[in-house]
Amino acid sequence: IETGLTADCTMLEIGENREFLMTRPAFGGNLMATIICPDHRPQMSTVRPGVMTRLSKDENRDGKITDFKVNFDHSKMKVKVLNIIKEAKAKVDITEAKILVSGGRGVGAQGGFDNLELLANELGGVAAASRALVDAGIVSHDRQVGQTGKTVRPDVYFAFGISGAIQHLAGMEESEYIIAINKDKAAPIFGVADLGLVTDLGKTATYLVEEIRKIKAEK
Ligand SMILES: Cc1cc2nc3c(=O)[nH]c(=O)nc-3n(C[C@H](O)[C@H](O)[C@H](O)COP(=O)(O)OP(=O)(O)OC[C@H]3O[C@@H](n4cnc5c(N)ncnc54)[C@H](O)[C@@H]3O)c2cc1C
C-alpha cells in the first residue's frame, strides 16, 4: 500500500479527492476490500480483464504506431521457452458473449449442464459456470465466472442454481440484466438479480428451450 499500487482489482472508481477506489478480494477472497491510498503518488492499479467497459469505436481518432526495438541479451535470460504446445480443444471466450447461461452446483451433474448448453445455443449465447461445477470436473476452467475465473459483462446473465457467493458476484454483478433461477428464495444471488425465479432450474431450462423452439417454428 505504501507504493500506492494495488493489483488485480475487480472494480476501480475515482473518489472525491481524485483518489482511486480500488476494490479487490482480501482475506483469501472471503471479502471485498476497497483500498484508498491518500498519501502516496503516483497511484497505480491493475484491473482484471472485463472490468472496464469498452469505448465504442470513434473513427475521428487516430494514433501513431511507433516501432520500439528491444535488444534482448539472450545469454542473460534465466528462462527459456523450449517448446509451445497448443491445447487441442478450442477454448471458449465467455467474456465476448452477449448472453451467458451460467450454471452452479444446483445443476447437479453433466446432464444438467448439457441442458443449459442447449438453452444457450437456442438463445445464441454461451454456457458458463460457477467454480462449483469447474471443481466437480463438469465444466472446463475457461468457462468459470468469478474471482478466480473471468469477469463478464454480458447483456443478459442467467444464473441457474448459483447461490451468489461473493467470489462469484465479483465476476458478474456488472452484467446488464441478471436473471436468477434458484429454489432458495434467500439465496444472495437474488440481491443482484433484475429478475428472480424461485423455482426448480431443470424444469425452467427445459420450458425455456421448448418455448423458444415453438416461437422459432412459428416464424
Ligand atoms: C479464494 C476463492 C476464490 C473463489 N473463486 C470463485 C470463482 O471465481 N467463481 C465462483 O463461482 N466461485 C468461486 N469461489 C467459490 C465460492 O465461494 C462458492 O463456493 C461457489 O461460487 C459456489 O458455487 P455455487 O453457487 O454453484 O454453489 P452453491 O453455493 O452450493 O449453490 C448452489 C445453489 O443451487 C441452488 N439449487 C440447488 N438445487 C436447485 C434446483 N433444483 N433448482 C434451483 N436451484 C437449486 C441452491 O439453492 C443453491 O443456492 C471461490 C472461493 C474462494 C475461497
Side-chain angles (χ1 to χ4, degrees):
I1 287 170
E2 281 198 352
T3 60
L5 168 70
T6 301
D8 215 18
C9 294
T10 55
M11 199 190 290
L12 182 65
E13 291 166 312
I14 308 284
E16 275 177 18
N17 302 321
R18 288 188 45 77
E19 282 151 355
F20 277 159
L21 308 180
M22 301 173 276
T23 304
R24 55 152 296 140
F27 294 105
N30 287 316
L31 57 85
M32 303 301 280
T34 300
I35 299 163
I36 305 169
C37 301
D39 303 325
H40 298 278
R41 294 292 185 276
Q43 297 177 80
M44 288 167 67
S45 177
T46 63
V47 290
R48 307 197 66 206
V51 168
M52 307 283 197
T53 34
R54 264 187 216 168
L55 288 177
S56 44
K57 198 170 174 181
D58 181 354
E59 299 286 356
N60 295 320
R61 297 180 68 173
D62 54 8
K64 199 172 134 205
I65 297 172
T66 311
D67 280 329
F68 180 71
K69 270 241 169 284
V70 184
N71 292 319
F72 287 117
D73 181 352
H74 288 276
S75 65
K76 289 193 176 144
M77 288 189 183
K78 292 191 173 139
V79 177
K80 279 193 181 130
V81 179
L82 299 179
N83 196 3
I84 296 171
I85 301 166
K86 287 202 175 161
E87 211 171 316
K89 215 173 120 204
K91 290 207 170 195
V92 179
D93 189 0
I94 58 168
T95 63
E96 292 290 330
K98 296 258 179 250
I99 299 175
L100 275 180
V101 180
S102 204
R105 202 188 316 270
V107 164
Q110 185 69 52
F113 187 72
D114 292 346
N115 225 7
L116 296 189
E117 279 210 293
L118 214 62
L119 176 60
N121 288 341
E122 291 296 336
L123 290 167
V126 174
S130 76
R131 179 160 145 180
L133 287 193
V134 176
D135 287 350
I138 294 169
V139 182
S140 57
H141 184 258
D142 56 329
R143 290 182 192 251
Q144 183 183 317
V145 174
Q147 185 190 315
T148 41
K150 303 250 171 73
T151 304
V152 296
R153 290 175 172 263
D155 292 345
V156 186
Y157 187 89
F158 286 87
F160 279 89
I162 295 176
S163 61
I166 188 169
Q167 298 89 356
H168 187 82
L169 299 185
M172 47 64 74
E173 63 190 343
E174 295 296 319
S175 302
E176 205 60 45
Y177 198 87
I178 299 170
I179 303 172
I181 300 95
N182 199 304
K183 65 180 183 183
D184 174 11
K185 70 175 190 308
I189 192 75
F190 290 127
V192 298
D194 297 285
L195 178 67
L197 305 178
V198 182
T199 182
D200 178 71
L201 66 91
K203 283 185 196 149
T204 310
T206 308
Y207 175 78
L208 286 176
V209 169
E210 283 170 4
E211 289 301 307
I212 294 165
R213 284 181 177 166
K214 263 192 228 163
I215 292 167
K216 283 182 180 173
E218 282 165 14
K219 279 188 181 170

